[in-house]
Amino acid sequence: MFNKVILMGRICHDLELKTTPSGVSVLSFRIAVDRNYQVKGEERKADFFNIVAWRSTAEFVSKYFGKGRMIMVDGELQTRQYVDKNGVTQNIVEIVADTIHFTGEKPPQQQQNGYASGSSFNGNYGGSYQSSPPPIHPAQTVNSVPTPVNSGLPDDFSNGSGDDDYPF
Protein backbone atom coordinates (compact mmCIF):
# COMPACT_ATOMS: atom_id res chain seq x y z
CA MET A 1 0.00 0.00 0.00
CA PHE A 2 1.10 3.57 -0.58
CA ASN A 3 -0.13 6.64 1.29
CA LYS A 4 1.84 9.85 0.66
CA VAL A 5 0.72 13.48 0.68
CA ILE A 6 2.87 16.53 -0.11
CA LEU A 7 1.31 19.96 0.33
CA MET A 8 2.62 23.51 0.35
CA GLY A 9 0.49 26.31 1.70
CA ARG A 10 0.08 29.01 4.34
CA ILE A 11 -0.70 28.38 8.00
CA CYS A 12 -4.23 29.65 8.72
CA HIS A 13 -4.11 30.44 12.45
CA ASP A 14 -1.82 30.93 15.43
CA LEU A 15 -0.11 27.72 16.51
CA GLU A 16 -0.66 26.22 19.96
CA LEU A 17 1.63 23.37 20.98
CA LYS A 18 -0.16 20.94 23.31
CA THR A 19 0.98 17.98 25.37
CA THR A 20 -0.94 14.74 25.86
CA PRO A 21 -1.43 13.39 29.41
CA SER A 22 1.45 10.99 28.74
CA GLY A 23 3.78 13.93 27.89
CA VAL A 24 3.83 13.68 24.08
CA SER A 25 3.88 16.97 22.14
CA VAL A 26 1.17 17.43 19.50
CA LEU A 27 0.32 20.31 17.20
CA SER A 28 -2.82 20.54 15.04
CA PHE A 29 -3.15 23.30 12.45
CA ARG A 30 -4.70 24.06 9.06
CA ILE A 31 -3.03 25.20 5.88
CA ALA A 32 -4.57 26.93 2.88
CA VAL A 33 -3.33 25.64 -0.49
CA ASP A 34 -4.12 27.75 -3.56
CA ARG A 35 -5.59 25.91 -6.53
CA ASN A 36 -3.56 25.93 -9.75
CA TYR A 37 -6.31 27.47 -11.84
CA GLN A 38 -8.38 30.60 -11.54
CA VAL A 39 -11.69 31.38 -13.24
CA LYS A 40 -11.38 34.64 -15.15
CA GLY A 41 -12.91 37.50 -13.19
CA GLU A 42 -13.00 35.56 -9.88
CA GLU A 43 -10.63 35.37 -6.94
CA ARG A 44 -8.26 32.44 -6.76
CA LYS A 45 -9.74 29.63 -4.65
CA ALA A 46 -7.95 27.64 -1.96
CA ASP A 47 -8.43 24.28 -0.29
CA PHE A 48 -7.92 23.88 3.46
CA PHE A 49 -6.23 20.86 5.01
CA ASN A 50 -5.91 19.72 8.63
CA ILE A 51 -2.35 18.81 9.65
CA VAL A 52 -1.23 16.97 12.79
CA ALA A 53 2.42 16.91 13.90
CA TRP A 54 3.70 14.82 16.79
CA ARG A 55 6.69 14.92 19.15
CA SER A 56 9.79 16.76 17.88
CA THR A 57 8.10 17.62 14.57
CA ALA A 58 5.36 19.46 16.50
CA GLU A 59 7.96 21.31 18.56
CA PHE A 60 9.89 22.26 15.41
CA VAL A 61 6.81 23.69 13.68
CA SER A 62 5.72 25.67 16.74
CA LYS A 63 9.23 27.13 17.10
CA TYR A 64 9.95 28.17 13.50
CA PHE A 65 6.53 28.78 11.91
CA GLY A 66 3.52 30.96 12.59
CA LYS A 67 0.25 32.23 11.16
CA GLY A 68 0.58 33.29 7.53
CA ARG A 69 3.94 31.54 6.99
CA MET A 70 4.42 29.27 3.99
CA ILE A 71 5.09 25.64 4.95
CA MET A 72 5.61 22.39 3.06
CA VAL A 73 4.24 19.22 4.66
CA ASP A 74 5.13 15.67 3.69
CA GLY A 75 3.01 13.02 5.40
CA GLU A 76 0.23 10.45 5.30
CA LEU A 77 -3.50 10.90 4.86
CA GLN A 78 -5.47 9.52 7.79
CA THR A 79 -9.14 9.37 8.78
CA ARG A 80 -10.65 9.12 12.25
CA GLN A 81 -14.06 9.37 13.87
CA TYR A 82 -15.36 10.97 17.03
CA VAL A 83 -18.77 11.58 18.60
CA ASP A 84 -19.60 15.28 19.03
CA LYS A 85 -21.51 16.82 21.95
CA ASN A 86 -24.84 16.17 20.15
CA GLY A 87 -24.08 12.44 19.84
CA VAL A 88 -23.42 12.60 16.10
CA THR A 89 -20.46 10.66 14.70
CA GLN A 90 -18.09 12.99 12.83
CA ASN A 91 -15.45 11.88 10.30
CA ILE A 92 -12.16 13.77 10.17
CA VAL A 93 -9.59 13.62 7.37
CA GLU A 94 -6.12 14.91 8.27
CA ILE A 95 -2.51 14.69 7.18
CA VAL A 96 -0.11 13.29 9.78
CA ALA A 97 3.16 15.12 9.12
CA ASP A 98 6.34 13.08 8.66
CA THR A 99 8.61 15.83 7.32
CA ILE A 100 8.25 19.61 7.44
CA HIS A 101 10.13 21.82 4.96
CA PHE A 102 10.92 25.51 4.87
CA THR A 103 9.89 26.91 1.47
CA GLY A 104 12.57 29.52 0.93
CA GLU A 105 10.16 32.30 1.86
CA LYS A 106 11.90 35.30 3.43
CA PRO A 107 10.98 35.90 7.09
CA PRO A 108 9.21 39.13 8.01
CA GLN A 109 11.47 42.04 9.04
CA GLN A 110 10.16 42.13 12.60
CA GLN A 111 10.98 39.37 15.04
CA GLN A 112 9.24 36.09 14.15
CA ASN A 113 9.05 33.30 16.73
CA GLY A 114 12.17 34.47 18.54
CA TYR A 115 14.32 35.13 15.47
CA ALA A 116 14.96 38.64 14.24
CA SER A 117 16.41 39.49 10.86
CA GLY A 118 20.17 38.91 10.99
CA SER A 119 20.00 36.56 13.98
CA SER A 120 22.16 33.50 14.53
CA PHE A 121 19.68 31.50 12.45
CA ASN A 122 21.13 33.35 9.41
CA GLY A 123 17.77 33.52 7.66
CA ASN A 124 18.35 30.13 6.03
CA TYR A 125 14.80 29.05 5.33
CA GLY A 126 15.59 26.49 2.64
CA GLY A 127 15.93 23.47 4.95
CA SER A 128 13.64 20.79 6.23
CA TYR A 129 12.99 18.72 9.32
CA GLN A 130 12.20 15.04 9.47
CA SER A 131 11.01 13.50 12.72
CA SER A 132 13.19 10.41 12.35
CA PRO A 133 16.03 10.11 9.84
CA PRO A 134 15.90 7.24 7.37
CA PRO A 135 18.06 4.26 8.33
CA ILE A 136 21.50 4.09 6.72
CA HIS A 137 22.99 0.72 5.94
CA PRO A 138 26.21 0.27 7.99
CA ALA A 139 28.32 -0.47 4.91
CA GLN A 140 26.92 2.48 2.99
CA THR A 141 27.96 6.07 3.45
CA VAL A 142 26.19 9.14 2.16
CA ASN A 143 28.62 9.64 -0.75
CA SER A 144 29.06 5.99 -1.68
CA VAL A 145 27.96 4.56 -4.99
CA PRO A 146 25.99 1.32 -4.72
CA THR A 147 27.67 -1.74 -6.19
CA PRO A 148 25.67 -3.30 -9.03
CA VAL A 149 24.18 -6.68 -8.22
CA ASN A 150 24.95 -9.51 -10.63
CA SER A 151 21.57 -10.57 -11.95
CA GLY A 152 22.90 -13.66 -13.68
CA LEU A 153 22.20 -12.18 -17.12
CA PRO A 154 24.98 -11.77 -19.69
CA ASP A 155 26.63 -8.34 -19.85
CA ASP A 156 26.15 -8.10 -23.62
CA PHE A 157 22.86 -9.13 -25.23
CA SER A 158 24.32 -8.86 -28.74
CA ASN A 159 25.56 -12.47 -28.59
CA GLY A 160 21.99 -13.77 -28.70
CA SER A 161 21.08 -16.27 -31.40
CA GLY A 162 18.08 -14.25 -32.53
CA ASP A 163 15.71 -17.15 -31.83
CA ASP A 164 13.84 -15.21 -29.12
CA ASP A 165 15.42 -17.34 -26.40
CA TYR A 166 16.10 -14.43 -24.06
CA PRO A 167 15.13 -15.06 -20.43
CA PHE A 168 12.54 -12.26 -20.39
Side-chain angles (χ1 to χ4, degrees):
M1 304 299 165
F2 188 74
N3 182 354
K4 189 70 155 179
V5 176
I6 301 172
L7 297 170
M8 187 167 77
R10 294 201 180 273
I11 297 174
C12 297
H13 55 79
D14 291 327
L15 301 176
E16 183 182 347
L17 183 65
K18 295 182 180 179
T19 306
T20 65
S22 60
V24 177
S25 298
V26 62
L27 179 67
S28 296
F29 59 99
R30 289 180 64 118
I31 64 172
V33 179
D34 286 340
R35 293 186 180 173
N36 287 335
Y37 61 90
Q38 178 178 0
V39 177
K40 200 170 195 170
E42 291 184 13
E43 281 190 38
R44 182 177 295 270
K45 294 186 180 189
D47 294 302
F48 297 85
F49 298 95
N50 297 319
I51 312 291
V52 177
W54 292 92
R55 297 176 180 77
S56 56
T57 305
E59 294 166 5
F60 174 80
V61 173
S62 70
K63 183 175 181 179
Y64 294 109
F65 291 90
K67 180 179 177 180
R69 286 289 312 274
M70 186 75 76
I71 189 171
M72 187 169 179
V73 178
D74 179 345
E76 294 182 358
L77 194 61
Q78 204 171 74
T79 60
R80 63 182 172 90
Q81 294 181 337
Y82 74 95
V83 178
D84 67 11
K85 61 183 177 183
N86 298 325
V88 178
T89 301
Q90 299 290 330
N91 292 310
I92 300 291
V93 177
E94 57 197 6
I95 290 94
V96 178
D98 291 329
T99 308
I100 299 295
H101 304 271
F102 289 108
T103 63
E105 173 189 51
K106 299 284 186 197
Q109 291 297 83
Q110 72 271 13
Q111 188 170 343
Q112 175 74 16
N113 290 331
Y115 289 97
S117 179
S119 69
S120 61
F121 194 64
N122 294 328
N124 181 4
Y125 286 87
S128 65
Y129 181 81
Q130 185 171 358
S131 58
S132 58
I136 296 177
H137 189 275
Q140 181 183 20
T141 62
V142 175
N143 295 326
S144 70
V145 176
T147 307
V149 177
N150 184 358
S151 64
L153 298 174
D155 290 337
D156 184 9
F157 287 105
S158 64
N159 294 336
S161 65
D163 296 335
D164 293 331
D165 60 350
Y166 292 113
F168 50 85

